[in-house]
Amino acid sequence: MNKLVLVTGGTGYIGSHTVVELMNEGFDIVIIDNLSNSEKSVLDGISEITGRRPYFEQFDLCDKERVHNFFKIYRKVSAVIHFAAYKAVGESVEKPLMYYQNNLISLLNLLQAMEDFKVHQLVFSSSGTVYGEPDELPVTENSPVKKATSPYGNTKQISEEIISDTIKSGYELNAISLRYFNPIGAHHSALIGELPRGVPNNLVPFITQTAYGIRDQLKVFGDDYNTPDGFAIRDYINVVDLAKAHVISIKRLLEKKNKTNFEVFNLGTGKGSSVMEVIDSFQKVTGVKLNYKIVGRRAGDTEAIYANTDLSEKELGWKAGIGLNETLQSAWEWEKQYQNNS
Ligand code: UFG
């Protein structure tokens, strides 16, 4: 019989790609999502790709009673992947209480219900942002977790601490925290992808929307960084590669291959690319000329960060496989498909 995995935030960007990869591997899926930053039509894309429809429950994880009742009904859940959270760095600076409230209360409710109903396996969606501005590159899982530069980043740090403290208390929980670098791209079918609400904050959706003509001009934030070409460097990781790491993590937990009760892994490519390298690649692979302008630095931005992925390679047997060009092409195919059909 297929194992049932609960994916919170499963209609979101990384969540939906992960649901597809889990279903392709024979897992049954139940999604909890309040649709605050996603659309129900994502379920159609998932069904079209996999030939199956995940169970879907629409409610807010901050509602403790609903979370409890969910586990009462779905007795067969054997593992949880927790994606559901607010994720915009800038917005979190403006609305810190909303971020702490949502991201932390939802995790607490989930952990409590998991304990009550004896669900012991958790994969947590964390972020490379926990390293702040690193002293050394690439960052390893042992690099210091520095003071967070935003309430959003702080919620990821605190969430990891909550999970770790819970485990230390003796509560029977096995958790894997996956620290993502910069997820980009879309499923090769172009049936699911990133769906930013309003003006995108992130580089790649802004690029694809500019290329499509929805935005007039891309602003490139800063050309005076202490990097080879002066532009900020990030580790851009393909979202399908990222999704596959979640499947491996779930299997690792269910097959009891984890080495400790709380493992942490970086998920990146191990290679940094500058903003201008991303723009150049996009123009080269798509043949679309981008209208961009170099402006001042964006407040709060890190100069350069990319991951050391030795641990995830060794322990998870996982390595990013899809390159930047192909990933940017997939983001473009998704943008065109989505805009043409909406
Ligand atoms: N950038 C531009 N123009 C834009 C948007 C971004 O030049 O319109 C630049 C940024 O200044 C930065 C790079 O592109 O140098 C990447 O920026 P993103 O906004 O795409 O991503 P961030 O690295 O700022 O943040 C991402 C996620 C966060 C996560 C963080 C972890 O959005 O959720 O990575 O490092 F916390």
Side-chain angles (χ1 to χ4, degrees), residues 54-257:
Y55 300 109
F56 177 68
E57 297 290 340
Q58 185 183 342
F59 68 90
D60 193 326
L61 289 161
C62 290
D63 185 337
K64 194 171 181 180
E65 208 179 310
R66 290 290 297 268
V67 181
H68 184 89
N69 288 339
F70 168 87
F71 280 91
K72 211 151 114 186
I73 294 162
Y74 286 88
R75 294 280 177 155
K76 294 242 153 55
V77 169
S78 51
V80 178
I81 307 184
H82 183 43
F83 289 106
Y86 292 152
K87 61 171 186 178
V89 175
E91 185 185 50
S92 79
V93 177
E94 284 156 29
K95 299 174 181 167
L97 296 182
M98 188 175 105
Y99 269 69
Y100 287 115
Q101 161 83 19
N102 184 65
N103 292 6
L104 300 180
I105 300 295
S106 57
L107 174 67
L108 294 173
N109 288 346
L110 188 64
L111 287 175
Q112 186 61 60
M114 286 173 71
E115 181 172 22
D116 293 345
F117 290 91
K118 302 192 173 17
V119 179
H120 302 302
Q121 321 302 341
L122 173 71
V123 174
F124 177 68
S125 170
S126 188
S127 167
T129 197
V130 299
Y131 298 112
E133 180 82 61
D135 297 325
E136 270 182 359
L137 288 171
V139 286
T140 74
E141 290 77 357
N142 291 324
S143 297
V145 167
K146 297 237 196 111
K147 187 170 166 38
T149 51
S150 71
Y152 160 74
N154 205 19
T155 67
K156 291 295 175 192
Q157 292 186 359
I158 296 170
S159 294
E160 286 194 353
E161 285 172 5
I162 290 172
I163 295 167
S164 160
D165 286 346
T166 307
I167 289 170
K168 278 187 215 145
S169 75
Y171 160 39
E172 217 183 306
L173 179 70
N174 295 303
I176 294 179
S177 183
L178 299 175
R179 292 176 177 166
Y180 319 143
F181 284 71
N182 288 51
I184 61 165
H187 193 263
H188 61 81
S189 64
L191 290 166
I192 53 170
E194 194 168 3
L195 274 176
R197 287 250 159 114
V199 183
N201 289 302
N202 296 116
L203 180 62
V204 171
F206 209 107
I207 287 178
T208 54
Q209 289 198 5
T210 307
Y212 197 84
I214 298 165
R215 309 284 155 209
D216 287 343
Q217 191 174 55
L218 168 74
K219 290 192 183 72
V220 175
F221 298 128
D223 63 350
D224 57 349
Y225 283 107
N226 187 22
T227 58
D229 66 4
F231 297 96
I233 290 174
R234 297 287 183 276
D235 185 339
Y236 295 94
I237 166 85
N238 181 286
V239 69
V240 176
D241 279 339
L242 195 70
K244 288 181 175 159
H246 293 74
V247 180
I248 296 170
S249 300
I250 283 291
K251 287 183 178 171
R252 183 178 176 85
L253 291 173
L254 292 173
E255 291 163 12
K256 303 193 187 322
K257 288 189 179 145

Side-chain angles (χ1 to χ4, degrees), residues 181-182 203 225 231-236 269 271-275 278 298 300-307:
F181 284 71
N182 288 51
L203 180 62
Y225 283 107
F231 297 96
I233 290 174
R234 297 287 183 276
D235 185 339
Y236 295 94
T269 65
K271 185 181 174 299
S273 303
S274 77
V275 175
V278 174
R298 182 171 71 176
D301 266 354
T302 302
E303 181 167 272
I305 186 163
Y306 52 97

Side-chain angles (χ1 to χ4, degrees), residues 7-16 31-33 38 61 81-85:
V7 181
T8 75
T11 49
Y13 176 42
I14 307 172
S16 57
I31 292 171
I32 299 177
D33 203 304
S38 61
L61 289 161
I81 307 184
H82 183 43
F83 289 106

